[in-house]
Amino acid sequence: MKRPEPLEIYQPTSVNEACQIIKQSGPGGHFLAGGTDLVIAIKEKGWVPRYVVDLKRIPSLSEILTNSDGSLVLGALTTMREIEISPLIRDRYPFLAQSAAEVGSIQIRHRATIGGNMANATPSADVAPALIALDAKAKISGENSERIVALEKFFVGPGKTVMKPDEILTALIIPPHPATLRGEYIKFSPREMMDLAYVGVAVALAMDERKKVKHVRIALGAVAPIPMRARKAEAIVLDQILSEEIAEQAGGEAAKECSPISDVRSSADYRREMVRVNTKRALLNAASEHWRPTSWVERRDRRY
Amino acid sequence: MKKKIQLTLNGKKTILEAPAHRLLLDLLRDEIGLTGTKEGCGTGDCGACTVFLNGKPVNSCLILSGELDGAELVTIEGLKIGPELHPIQKAFIQDGGAQCGYCTPGMLMMAKALLDENPNPTEEEIRFALSGNLCRCTGYAKIIQAVQDAAKEIRQAARR
């Protein structure tokens, strides 16, 4: 396996310092978070960064915080493993913890960060649909500047985001949700573990006491150039009682809305069909009494 | 460019100079001479290069030396307790949990990570924890048996 070429490594301790380094050092640099994408790109895709700016020494970037309004702030360097095992996230948004647990291996998840994963904008990123289903926002910081963009609008295309080269994704913010919010993430993949999704479906919904759906988000991964919301499918479910028939209709609509490609993992047609099936399943799982899976085995079995 | 790195390596304070782009895996094997850690795929898929970084199992093939200043590292060479083999090592020997042996260091490290967190794992939990460690001899049944036996031994030793 190829080895990295010599490079300079900077370890700033603040976001401002990191932005200044990129500005002063010019093109050919790269921000480094967990490195599980960057080092692989260096080895496999022939990337030759002249320098990297390691963000791991910036303390404020690796915290999970709750704001007084109930919103949750996930620092960009929060690892996938931290999200997977966080008692707070497992309690409030188990399907987000579940989506993080679908990424790579435990070893990878100890390094891979939620911010790095979003900034690399892989269409099949597992946490992206779960975050979009939670209406998450991306906090983007530059030198003495800050802006907040809905995560859905953060992605522009495969590997592309709205960020400028000297901007850093510093946090993902999940706005407050009612305690009744429930959800599901289904990753459908060639292997149980250690592979990318053919299709990822995240659902977040809330029902009233008569089981009518009062809030719903359906987000899809790996079936469009960017992670996407299936808005027409959402419209079918909203204000309805989630019967098998309604879920089936929504699945069909989601399959029409997405725009998958054919690749080494599957054909576009198969992906579309699996969007239909898994959207239906995810909706019914989310609405069921036992929507909180307890073990990965149970989680696995709920996919089929 | 060389960078001064301060490490705690298998419990010993170590100061060394290494180029920032040197992979942790190569630093361990080629510069420090700890060749127990293996390179399998080089892309974080196989787990043969698993070491503990600040207490957590990671793929050493995906980490640059320049990231490491102040880190605490434990490699397969640091698994033994004094002159004694670790119960996980003993169980792998006893159960035939190694065939060609190439994945074994990574398997042992990951088994340690699992048993530190969960001293009584189910078979499914062991499979989940080891899902990032590939054995191309496909000796998984004996590896899982060895982790179960090691867990039992560790639990019994704790009661003694």
Side-chain angles (χ1 to χ4, degrees), chain A residues 1 3-6 11 40 43 56-57 81 107-108 110-111 194 296, chain B residues 21 26 39 41-43 45 50 53 56 61 67 69 117 124 128 131 133:
Chain A
M1 181 57 61
R3 275 3 195 198
E5 300 290 330
Q11 297 192 301
I40 292 174
K43 288 178 162 191
K56 289 190 288 295
R57 308 276 158 152
R81 182 70 176 163
Q107 292 97 311
I108 290 287
H110 272 307
R111 294 292 287 176
M194 302 295 294
W296 80 269
Chain B
H21 67 283
D26 296 339
E39 174 173 33
C41 64
T43 49
D45 294 304
T50 302
L53 170 61
K56 314 241 160 73
C61 73
E67 300 174 64
D69 191 33
E117 270 178 27
E124 296 293 353
F128 182 79
S131 59
N133 292 72

PDB file of all heavy atoms in Angstrom, chain A residues 1 3-6 11 40 43 56-57 81 107-108 110-111 194 296, chain B residues 21 26 39 41-43 45 50 53 56 61 67 69 117 124 128 131 133:
ATOM      1  N   MET A   1       0.852  -1.206   0.000  1.00  0.00           N
ATOM      2  CA  MET A   1       0.000   0.000   0.000  1.00  0.00           C
ATOM      3  C   MET A   1       0.885   1.253   0.000  1.00  0.00           C
ATOM      4  O   MET A   1       1.889   1.306   0.693  1.00  0.00           O
ATOM      5  CB  MET A   1      -0.902  -0.039   1.243  1.00  0.00           C
ATOM      6  CG  MET A   1      -1.865   1.111   1.418  1.00  0.00           C
ATOM      7  SD  MET A   1      -3.034   1.417   0.075  1.00  0.00           S
ATOM      8  CE  MET A   1      -3.946  -0.122   0.019  1.00  0.00           C
ATOM      9  N   ARG A   3       2.487   4.900   0.581  1.00  0.00           N
ATOM     10  CA  ARG A   3       2.715   5.672   1.807  1.00  0.00           C
ATOM     11  C   ARG A   3       2.512   7.153   1.517  1.00  0.00           C
ATOM     12  O   ARG A   3       2.739   7.597   0.374  1.00  0.00           O
ATOM     13  CB  ARG A   3       4.161   5.480   2.281  1.00  0.00           C
ATOM     14  CG  ARG A   3       4.483   4.258   3.159  1.00  0.00           C
ATOM     15  CD  ARG A   3       3.367   3.362   3.391  1.00  0.00           C
ATOM     16  NE  ARG A   3       3.575   2.415   4.470  1.00  0.00           N
ATOM     17  CZ  ARG A   3       2.854   1.306   4.614  1.00  0.00           C
ATOM     18  NH1 ARG A   3       1.893   1.017   3.768  1.00  0.00           N
ATOM     19  NH2 ARG A   3       3.049   0.493   5.621  1.00  0.00           N
ATOM     20  N   PRO A   4       2.134   7.935   2.529  1.00  0.00           N
ATOM     21  CA  PRO A   4       1.996   9.382   2.306  1.00  0.00           C
ATOM     22  C   PRO A   4       3.343  10.020   1.948  1.00  0.00           C
ATOM     23  O   PRO A   4       4.396   9.548   2.385  1.00  0.00           O
ATOM     24  CB  PRO A   4       1.508   9.905   3.660  1.00  0.00           C
ATOM     25  CG  PRO A   4       0.989   8.724   4.395  1.00  0.00           C
ATOM     26  CD  PRO A   4       1.749   7.532   3.888  1.00  0.00           C
ATOM     27  N   GLU A   5       3.284  11.045   1.121  1.00  0.00           N
ATOM     28  CA  GLU A   5       4.477  11.848   0.811  1.00  0.00           C
ATOM     29  C   GLU A   5       4.752  12.767   1.997  1.00  0.00           C
ATOM     30  O   GLU A   5       3.855  13.049   2.789  1.00  0.00           O
ATOM     31  CB  GLU A   5       4.211  12.707  -0.433  1.00  0.00           C
ATOM     32  CG  GLU A   5       3.865  11.929  -1.696  1.00  0.00           C
ATOM     33  CD  GLU A   5       5.058  11.168  -2.254  1.00  0.00           C
ATOM     34  OE1 GLU A   5       6.195  11.637  -2.067  1.00  0.00           O
ATOM     35  OE2 GLU A   5       4.840  10.090  -2.840  1.00  0.00           O
ATOM     36  N   PRO A   6       5.998  13.276   2.096  1.00  0.00           N
ATOM     37  CA  PRO A   6       6.286  14.222   3.182  1.00  0.00           C
ATOM     38  C   PRO A   6       5.292  15.387   3.179  1.00  0.00           C
ATOM     39  O   PRO A   6       4.893  15.862   2.107  1.00  0.00           O
ATOM     40  CB  PRO A   6       7.695  14.709   2.847  1.00  0.00           C
ATOM     41  CG  PRO A   6       8.306  13.574   2.100  1.00  0.00           C
ATOM     42  CD  PRO A   6       7.187  12.959   1.305  1.00  0.00           C
ATOM     43  N   GLN A  11      -0.913  22.072  14.154  1.00  0.00           N
ATOM     44  CA  GLN A  11      -1.876  21.688  15.194  1.00  0.00           C
ATOM     45  C   GLN A  11      -2.365  22.915  15.948  1.00  0.00           C
ATOM     46  O   GLN A  11      -1.962  23.166  17.091  1.00  0.00           O
ATOM     47  CB  GLN A  11      -1.244  20.671  16.140  1.00  0.00           C
ATOM     48  CG  GLN A  11      -0.873  19.378  15.400  1.00  0.00           C
ATOM     49  CD  GLN A  11      -0.515  18.249  16.322  1.00  0.00           C
ATOM     50  OE1 GLN A  11       0.415  18.360  17.108  1.00  0.00           O
ATOM     51  NE2 GLN A  11      -1.253  17.160  16.238  1.00  0.00           N
ATOM     52  N   ILE A  40      -6.868   7.550   3.748  1.00  0.00           N
ATOM     53  CA  ILE A  40      -7.221   6.588   2.699  1.00  0.00           C
ATOM     54  C   ILE A  40      -7.155   7.257   1.325  1.00  0.00           C
ATOM     55  O   ILE A  40      -6.666   6.672   0.359  1.00  0.00           O
ATOM     56  CB  ILE A  40      -8.605   5.952   2.973  1.00  0.00           C
ATOM     57  CG1 ILE A  40      -8.513   5.053   4.214  1.00  0.00           C
ATOM     58  CG2 ILE A  40      -9.072   5.133   1.769  1.00  0.00           C
ATOM     59  CD1 ILE A  40      -9.831   4.471   4.680  1.00  0.00           C
ATOM     60  N   LYS A  43      -3.648   7.446   0.285  1.00  0.00           N
ATOM     61  CA  LYS A  43      -3.118   6.144  -0.129  1.00  0.00           C
ATOM     62  C   LYS A  43      -3.745   5.644  -1.421  1.00  0.00           C
ATOM     63  O   LYS A  43      -3.073   5.056  -2.254  1.00  0.00           O
ATOM     64  CB  LYS A  43      -3.397   5.113   0.977  1.00  0.00           C
ATOM     65  CG  LYS A  43      -2.548   5.297   2.224  1.00  0.00           C
ATOM     66  CD  LYS A  43      -2.952   4.250   3.249  1.00  0.00           C
ATOM     67  CE  LYS A  43      -1.881   4.092   4.319  1.00  0.00           C
ATOM     68  NZ  LYS A  43      -2.154   2.912   5.151  1.00  0.00           N
ATOM     69  N   LYS A  56      -7.660  18.396  15.862  1.00  0.00           N
ATOM     70  CA  LYS A  56      -7.954  17.684  17.114  1.00  0.00           C
ATOM     71  C   LYS A  56      -7.440  18.376  18.375  1.00  0.00           C
ATOM     72  O   LYS A  56      -7.759  17.962  19.473  1.00  0.00           O
ATOM     73  CB  LYS A  56      -7.394  16.266  17.038  1.00  0.00           C
ATOM     74  CG  LYS A  56      -8.180  15.385  16.080  1.00  0.00           C
ATOM     75  CD  LYS A  56      -7.789  13.926  16.167  1.00  0.00           C
ATOM     76  CE  LYS A  56      -6.437  13.626  15.587  1.00  0.00           C
ATOM     77  NZ  LYS A  56      -6.349  13.869  14.124  1.00  0.00           N
ATOM     78  N   ARG A  57      -6.627  19.419  18.197  1.00  0.00           N
ATOM     79  CA  ARG A  57      -6.145  20.127  19.405  1.00  0.00           C
ATOM     80  C   ARG A  57      -7.035  21.314  19.755  1.00  0.00           C
ATOM     81  O   ARG A  57      -6.698  22.098  20.643  1.00  0.00           O
ATOM     82  CB  ARG A  57      -4.708  20.610  19.200  1.00  0.00           C
ATOM     83  CG  ARG A  57      -3.751  19.526  18.729  1.00  0.00           C
ATOM     84  CD  ARG A  57      -3.208  18.716  19.880  1.00  0.00           C
ATOM     85  NE  ARG A  57      -2.748  17.408  19.399  1.00  0.00           N
ATOM     86  CZ  ARG A  57      -1.785  16.701  19.960  1.00  0.00           C
ATOM     87  NH1 ARG A  57      -1.163  17.146  21.017  1.00  0.00           N
ATOM     88  NH2 ARG A  57      -1.451  15.524  19.484  1.00  0.00           N
ATOM     89  N   ARG A  81     -18.067   6.746  17.336  1.00  0.00           N
ATOM     90  CA  ARG A  81     -18.229   5.855  18.479  1.00  0.00           C
ATOM     91  C   ARG A  81     -18.882   6.601  19.660  1.00  0.00           C
ATOM     92  O   ARG A  81     -19.712   6.054  20.372  1.00  0.00           O
ATOM     93  CB  ARG A  81     -16.851   5.300  18.885  1.00  0.00           C
ATOM     94  CG  ARG A  81     -16.856   4.324  20.030  1.00  0.00           C
ATOM     95  CD  ARG A  81     -17.474   2.988  19.696  1.00  0.00           C
ATOM     96  NE  ARG A  81     -17.350   2.065  20.813  1.00  0.00           N
ATOM     97  CZ  ARG A  81     -18.048   0.961  20.938  1.00  0.00           C
ATOM     98  NH1 ARG A  81     -18.928   0.612  20.022  1.00  0.00           N
ATOM     99  NH2 ARG A  81     -17.884   0.165  21.967  1.00  0.00           N
ATOM    100  N   GLN A 107     -12.910   0.299  15.493  1.00  0.00           N
ATOM    101  CA  GLN A 107     -11.629   1.010  15.364  1.00  0.00           C
ATOM    102  C   GLN A 107     -11.802   2.279  14.527  1.00  0.00           C
ATOM    103  O   GLN A 107     -11.287   3.348  14.887  1.00  0.00           O
ATOM    104  CB  GLN A 107     -10.575   0.121  14.687  1.00  0.00           C
ATOM    105  CG  GLN A 107     -10.125  -1.085  15.508  1.00  0.00           C
ATOM    106  CD  GLN A 107     -10.864  -2.343  15.121  1.00  0.00           C
ATOM    107  OE1 GLN A 107     -12.086  -2.348  15.036  1.00  0.00           O
ATOM    108  NE2 GLN A 107     -10.133  -3.434  14.916  1.00  0.00           N
ATOM    109  N   ILE A 108     -12.501   2.146  13.410  1.00  0.00           N
ATOM    110  CA  ILE A 108     -12.748   3.317  12.548  1.00  0.00           C
ATOM    111  C   ILE A 108     -13.593   4.336  13.304  1.00  0.00           C
ATOM    112  O   ILE A 108     -13.324   5.545  13.281  1.00  0.00           O
ATOM    113  CB  ILE A 108     -13.465   2.890  11.239  1.00  0.00           C
ATOM    114  CG1 ILE A 108     -12.527   2.085  10.345  1.00  0.00           C
ATOM    115  CG2 ILE A 108     -14.048   4.093  10.495  1.00  0.00           C
ATOM    116  CD1 ILE A 108     -11.447   2.862   9.647  1.00  0.00           C
ATOM    117  N   HIS A 110     -13.788   4.965  16.384  1.00  0.00           N
ATOM    118  CA  HIS A 110     -13.053   5.698  17.417  1.00  0.00           C
ATOM    119  C   HIS A 110     -12.295   6.880  16.835  1.00  0.00           C
ATOM    120  O   HIS A 110     -11.867   7.774  17.567  1.00  0.00           O
ATOM    121  CB  HIS A 110     -12.067   4.776  18.144  1.00  0.00           C
ATOM    122  CG  HIS A 110     -12.679   4.069  19.313  1.00  0.00           C
ATOM    123  ND1 HIS A 110     -13.337   4.732  20.327  1.00  0.00           N
ATOM    124  CD2 HIS A 110     -12.746   2.756  19.636  1.00  0.00           C
ATOM    125  CE1 HIS A 110     -13.784   3.857  21.218  1.00  0.00           C
ATOM    126  NE2 HIS A 110     -13.440   2.655  20.819  1.00  0.00           N
ATOM    127  N   ARG A 111     -12.078   6.883  15.516  1.00  0.00           N
ATOM    128  CA  ARG A 111     -11.336   7.975  14.882  1.00  0.00           C
ATOM    129  C   ARG A 111     -12.244   8.870  14.045  1.00  0.00           C
ATOM    130  O   ARG A 111     -12.126  10.091  14.071  1.00  0.00           O
ATOM    131  CB  ARG A 111     -10.238   7.411  13.962  1.00  0.00           C
ATOM    132  CG  ARG A 111      -9.150   6.686  14.676  1.00  0.00           C
ATOM    133  CD  ARG A 111      -8.285   7.592  15.522  1.00  0.00           C
ATOM    134  NE  ARG A 111      -7.390   8.429  14.740  1.00  0.00           N
ATOM    135  CZ  ARG A 111      -6.593   9.362  15.258  1.00  0.00           C
ATOM    136  NH1 ARG A 111      -6.597   9.589  16.566  1.00  0.00           N
ATOM    137  NH2 ARG A 111      -5.808  10.084  14.496  1.00  0.00           N
ATOM    138  N   MET A 194     -19.014  -3.183   7.770  1.00  0.00           N
ATOM    139  CA  MET A 194     -17.816  -2.837   6.997  1.00  0.00           C
ATOM    140  C   MET A 194     -18.074  -2.645   5.507  1.00  0.00           C
ATOM    141  O   MET A 194     -17.249  -2.999   4.689  1.00  0.00           O
ATOM    142  CB  MET A 194     -16.748  -3.925   7.152  1.00  0.00           C
ATOM    143  CG  MET A 194     -16.308  -4.210   8.548  1.00  0.00           C
ATOM    144  SD  MET A 194     -15.484  -2.840   9.321  1.00  0.00           S
ATOM    145  CE  MET A 194     -14.017  -2.703   8.352  1.00  0.00           C
ATOM    146  N   TRP A 296     -27.730  -4.976  18.494  1.00  0.00           N
ATOM    147  CA  TRP A 296     -27.511  -4.885  17.055  1.00  0.00           C
ATOM    148  C   TRP A 296     -28.153  -6.046  16.312  1.00  0.00           C
ATOM    149  O   TRP A 296     -28.505  -5.930  15.154  1.00  0.00           O
ATOM    150  CB  TRP A 296     -26.033  -4.729  16.717  1.00  0.00           C
ATOM    151  CG  TRP A 296     -25.232  -5.998  16.730  1.00  0.00           C
ATOM    152  CD1 TRP A 296     -24.566  -6.500  17.800  1.00  0.00           C
ATOM    153  CD2 TRP A 296     -25.011  -6.903  15.650  1.00  0.00           C
ATOM    154  NE1 TRP A 296     -23.937  -7.674  17.448  1.00  0.00           N
ATOM    155  CE2 TRP A 296     -24.198  -7.945  16.128  1.00  0.00           C
ATOM    156  CE3 TRP A 296     -25.418  -6.938  14.331  1.00  0.00           C
ATOM    157  CZ2 TRP A 296     -23.786  -9.004  15.343  1.00  0.00           C
ATOM    158  CZ3 TRP A 296     -25.007  -8.007  13.542  1.00  0.00           C
ATOM    159  CH2 TRP A 296     -24.202  -9.030  14.048  1.00  0.00           C
TER     160      TRP A 296
ATOM    161  N   HIS B  21       4.650  12.720   8.265  1.00  0.00           N
ATOM    162  CA  HIS B  21       3.822  11.909   7.374  1.00  0.00           C
ATOM    163  C   HIS B  21       3.972  10.409   7.617  1.00  0.00           C
ATOM    164  O   HIS B  21       3.278   9.610   7.009  1.00  0.00           O
ATOM    165  CB  HIS B  21       4.174  12.207   5.905  1.00  0.00           C
ATOM    166  CG  HIS B  21       5.550  11.773   5.525  1.00  0.00           C
ATOM    167  ND1 HIS B  21       6.669  12.489   5.886  1.00  0.00           N
ATOM    168  CD2 HIS B  21       5.992  10.690   4.838  1.00  0.00           C
ATOM    169  CE1 HIS B  21       7.742  11.852   5.419  1.00  0.00           C
ATOM    170  NE2 HIS B  21       7.361  10.773   4.787  1.00  0.00           N
ATOM    171  N   ASP B  26       4.066   2.286  10.583  1.00  0.00           N
ATOM    172  CA  ASP B  26       5.474   2.230  10.160  1.00  0.00           C
ATOM    173  C   ASP B  26       6.398   2.728  11.258  1.00  0.00           C
ATOM    174  O   ASP B  26       7.525   2.243  11.396  1.00  0.00           O
ATOM    175  CB  ASP B  26       5.678   3.081   8.892  1.00  0.00           C
ATOM    176  CG  ASP B  26       4.900   2.516   7.710  1.00  0.00           C
ATOM    177  OD1 ASP B  26       4.557   1.322   7.761  1.00  0.00           O
ATOM    178  OD2 ASP B  26       4.632   3.274   6.758  1.00  0.00           O
ATOM    179  N   GLU B  39       0.454  -5.080   9.058  1.00  0.00           N
ATOM    180  CA  GLU B  39      -0.308  -4.380   8.031  1.00  0.00           C
ATOM    181  C   GLU B  39      -1.040  -5.402   7.171  1.00  0.00           C
ATOM    182  O   GLU B  39      -0.420  -6.275   6.576  1.00  0.00           O
ATOM    183  CB  GLU B  39       0.596  -3.537   7.124  1.00  0.00           C
ATOM    184  CG  GLU B  39      -0.197  -2.925   5.968  1.00  0.00           C
ATOM    185  CD  GLU B  39       0.608  -1.951   5.122  1.00  0.00           C
ATOM    186  OE1 GLU B  39       1.823  -2.153   4.958  1.00  0.00           O
ATOM    187  OE2 GLU B  39      -0.002  -0.975   4.632  1.00  0.00           O
ATOM    188  N   CYS B  41      -4.656  -4.656   5.090  1.00  0.00           N
ATOM    189  CA  CYS B  41      -5.172  -3.968   3.907  1.00  0.00           C
ATOM    190  C   CYS B  41      -4.581  -2.576   3.724  1.00  0.00           C
ATOM    191  O   CYS B  41      -4.478  -2.076   2.608  1.00  0.00           O
ATOM    192  CB  CYS B  41      -6.694  -3.859   4.014  1.00  0.00           C
ATOM    193  SG  CYS B  41      -7.235  -2.831   5.396  1.00  0.00           S
ATOM    194  N   GLY B  42      -4.218  -1.922   4.808  1.00  0.00           N
ATOM    195  CA  GLY B  42      -3.712  -0.548   4.718  1.00  0.00           C
ATOM    196  C   GLY B  42      -4.799   0.498   4.581  1.00  0.00           C
ATOM    197  O   GLY B  42      -4.506   1.684   4.432  1.00  0.00           O
ATOM    198  N   THR B  43      -6.067   0.091   4.623  1.00  0.00           N
ATOM    199  CA  THR B  43      -7.153   1.060   4.444  1.00  0.00           C
ATOM    200  C   THR B  43      -8.233   0.973   5.523  1.00  0.00           C
ATOM    201  O   THR B  43      -9.373   1.391   5.315  1.00  0.00           O
ATOM    202  CB  THR B  43      -7.818   0.880   3.058  1.00  0.00           C
ATOM    203  OG1 THR B  43      -8.125  -0.509   2.878  1.00  0.00           O
ATOM    204  CG2 THR B  43      -6.904   1.341   1.937  1.00  0.00           C
ATOM    205  N   ASP B  45      -9.803  -1.602   6.816  1.00  0.00           N
ATOM    206  CA  ASP B  45     -10.865  -2.591   6.652  1.00  0.00           C
ATOM    207  C   ASP B  45     -10.619  -3.888   7.410  1.00  0.00           C
ATOM    208  O   ASP B  45     -11.548  -4.631   7.665  1.00  0.00           O
ATOM    209  CB  ASP B  45     -11.036  -2.943   5.161  1.00  0.00           C
ATOM    210  CG  ASP B  45     -11.537  -1.766   4.350  1.00  0.00           C
ATOM    211  OD1 ASP B  45     -12.600  -1.224   4.719  1.00  0.00           O
ATOM    212  OD2 ASP B  45     -10.884  -1.370   3.371  1.00  0.00           O
ATOM    213  N   THR B  50      -4.453  -3.044  14.518  1.00  0.00           N
ATOM    214  CA  THR B  50      -5.104  -2.420  15.677  1.00  0.00           C
ATOM    215  C   THR B  50      -4.140  -2.212  16.850  1.00  0.00           C
ATOM    216  O   THR B  50      -3.444  -3.142  17.271  1.00  0.00           O
ATOM    217  CB  THR B  50      -6.292  -3.285  16.151  1.00  0.00           C
ATOM    218  OG1 THR B  50      -7.207  -3.433  15.058  1.00  0.00           O
ATOM    219  CG2 THR B  50      -7.011  -2.651  17.341  1.00  0.00           C
ATOM    220  N   LEU B  53      -4.835   3.694  21.179  1.00  0.00           N
ATOM    221  CA  LEU B  53      -4.377   5.084  21.226  1.00  0.00           C
ATOM    222  C   LEU B  53      -5.243   5.785  22.268  1.00  0.00           C
ATOM    223  O   LEU B  53      -6.474   5.833  22.127  1.00  0.00           O
ATOM    224  CB  LEU B  53      -4.536   5.727  19.841  1.00  0.00           C
ATOM    225  CG  LEU B  53      -4.334   7.236  19.741  1.00  0.00           C
ATOM    226  CD1 LEU B  53      -2.931   7.641  20.155  1.00  0.00           C
ATOM    227  CD2 LEU B  53      -4.616   7.716  18.317  1.00  0.00           C
ATOM    228  N   LYS B  56      -8.104   3.667  23.360  1.00  0.00           N
ATOM    229  CA  LYS B  56      -9.139   3.213  22.422  1.00  0.00           C
ATOM    230  C   LYS B  56      -8.505   2.446  21.256  1.00  0.00           C
ATOM    231  O   LYS B  56      -7.471   2.852  20.728  1.00  0.00           O
ATOM    232  CB  LYS B  56      -9.866   4.427  21.842  1.00  0.00           C
ATOM    233  CG  LYS B  56     -10.262   5.447  22.894  1.00  0.00           C
ATOM    234  CD  LYS B  56     -11.754   5.625  22.938  1.00  0.00           C
ATOM    235  CE  LYS B  56     -12.236   6.221  24.232  1.00  0.00           C
ATOM    236  NZ  LYS B  56     -11.939   7.643  24.378  1.00  0.00           N
ATOM    237  N   CYS B  61      -2.745   2.052  10.694  1.00  0.00           N
ATOM    238  CA  CYS B  61      -2.389   2.331   9.295  1.00  0.00           C
ATOM    239  C   CYS B  61      -2.998   3.631   8.799  1.00  0.00           C
ATOM    240  O   CYS B  61      -2.719   4.061   7.692  1.00  0.00           O
ATOM    241  CB  CYS B  61      -2.817   1.181   8.392  1.00  0.00           C
ATOM    242  SG  CYS B  61      -4.596   1.068   8.117  1.00  0.00           S
ATOM    243  N   GLU B  67       0.368  13.491  14.303  1.00  0.00           N
ATOM    244  CA  GLU B  67      -0.810  13.689  15.148  1.00  0.00           C
ATOM    245  C   GLU B  67      -0.565  13.241  16.580  1.00  0.00           C
ATOM    246  O   GLU B  67      -1.422  13.420  17.440  1.00  0.00           O
ATOM    247  CB  GLU B  67      -1.988  12.843  14.619  1.00  0.00           C
ATOM    248  CG  GLU B  67      -2.432  13.146  13.218  1.00  0.00           C
ATOM    249  CD  GLU B  67      -3.506  12.150  12.754  1.00  0.00           C
ATOM    250  OE1 GLU B  67      -4.589  12.139  13.355  1.00  0.00           O
ATOM    251  OE2 GLU B  67      -3.253  11.401  11.808  1.00  0.00           O
ATOM    252  N   ASP B  69       1.798  13.607  19.221  1.00  0.00           N
ATOM    253  CA  ASP B  69       2.487  14.159  20.391  1.00  0.00           C
ATOM    254  C   ASP B  69       1.590  14.086  21.632  1.00  0.00           C
ATOM    255  O   ASP B  69       0.442  14.516  21.605  1.00  0.00           O
ATOM    256  CB  ASP B  69       2.906  15.612  20.120  1.00  0.00           C
ATOM    257  CG  ASP B  69       3.856  16.098  21.200  1.00  0.00           C
ATOM    258  OD1 ASP B  69       4.638  15.268  21.709  1.00  0.00           O
ATOM    259  OD2 ASP B  69       3.796  17.285  21.544  1.00  0.00           O
ATOM    260  N   GLU B 117     -14.536  -3.434  28.421  1.00  0.00           N
ATOM    261  CA  GLU B 117     -15.825  -2.753  28.536  1.00  0.00           C
ATOM    262  C   GLU B 117     -16.923  -3.683  28.996  1.00  0.00           C
ATOM    263  O   GLU B 117     -17.874  -3.282  29.660  1.00  0.00           O
ATOM    264  CB  GLU B 117     -16.250  -2.215  27.150  1.00  0.00           C
ATOM    265  CG  GLU B 117     -15.776  -0.815  26.860  1.00  0.00           C
ATOM    266  CD  GLU B 117     -16.203  -0.387  25.457  1.00  0.00           C
ATOM    267  OE1 GLU B 117     -17.215  -0.888  24.931  1.00  0.00           O
ATOM    268  OE2 GLU B 117     -15.494   0.471  24.884  1.00  0.00           O
ATOM    269  N   GLU B 124     -22.945 -12.852  20.045  1.00  0.00           N
ATOM    270  CA  GLU B 124     -23.282 -11.788  19.083  1.00  0.00           C
ATOM    271  C   GLU B 124     -22.483 -10.526  19.377  1.00  0.00           C
ATOM    272  O   GLU B 124     -22.045  -9.830  18.469  1.00  0.00           O
ATOM    273  CB  GLU B 124     -24.786 -11.470  19.130  1.00  0.00           C
ATOM    274  CG  GLU B 124     -25.688 -12.615  18.696  1.00  0.00           C
ATOM    275  CD  GLU B 124     -25.556 -12.975  17.220  1.00  0.00           C
ATOM    276  OE1 GLU B 124     -24.864 -12.250  16.484  1.00  0.00           O
ATOM    277  OE2 GLU B 124     -26.146 -13.989  16.816  1.00  0.00           O
ATOM    278  N   PHE B 128     -19.909  -8.661  16.886  1.00  0.00           N
ATOM    279  CA  PHE B 128     -20.039  -7.233  16.583  1.00  0.00           C
ATOM    280  C   PHE B 128     -18.701  -6.525  16.832  1.00  0.00           C
ATOM    281  O   PHE B 128     -18.216  -5.770  15.993  1.00  0.00           O
ATOM    282  CB  PHE B 128     -21.143  -6.628  17.458  1.00  0.00           C
ATOM    283  CG  PHE B 128     -21.411  -5.169  17.201  1.00  0.00           C
ATOM    284  CD1 PHE B 128     -22.163  -4.769  16.109  1.00  0.00           C
ATOM    285  CD2 PHE B 128     -20.922  -4.190  18.065  1.00  0.00           C
ATOM    286  CE1 PHE B 128     -22.422  -3.431  15.866  1.00  0.00           C
ATOM    287  CE2 PHE B 128     -21.174  -2.850  17.831  1.00  0.00           C
ATOM    288  CZ  PHE B 128     -21.929  -2.465  16.728  1.00  0.00           C
ATOM    289  N   SER B 131     -16.018  -7.240  14.214  1.00  0.00           N
ATOM    290  CA  SER B 131     -16.435  -7.146  12.804  1.00  0.00           C
ATOM    291  C   SER B 131     -15.436  -6.377  11.952  1.00  0.00           C
ATOM    292  O   SER B 131     -15.430  -6.504  10.736  1.00  0.00           O
ATOM    293  CB  SER B 131     -17.833  -6.538  12.690  1.00  0.00           C
ATOM    294  OG  SER B 131     -17.848  -5.253  13.254  1.00  0.00           O
ATOM    295  N   ASN B 133     -12.216  -6.906  12.144  1.00  0.00           N
ATOM    296  CA  ASN B 133     -10.996  -7.724  12.125  1.00  0.00           C
ATOM    297  C   ASN B 133     -11.228  -8.925  11.233  1.00  0.00           C
ATOM    298  O   ASN B 133     -12.031  -9.796  11.547  1.00  0.00           O
ATOM    299  CB  ASN B 133     -10.638  -8.181  13.543  1.00  0.00           C
ATOM    300  CG  ASN B 133     -10.212  -7.022  14.415  1.00  0.00           C
ATOM    301  OD1 ASN B 133     -11.041  -6.196  14.814  1.00  0.00           O
ATOM    302  ND2 ASN B 133      -8.933  -6.925  14.688  1.00  0.00           N
TER     303      ASN B 133
END
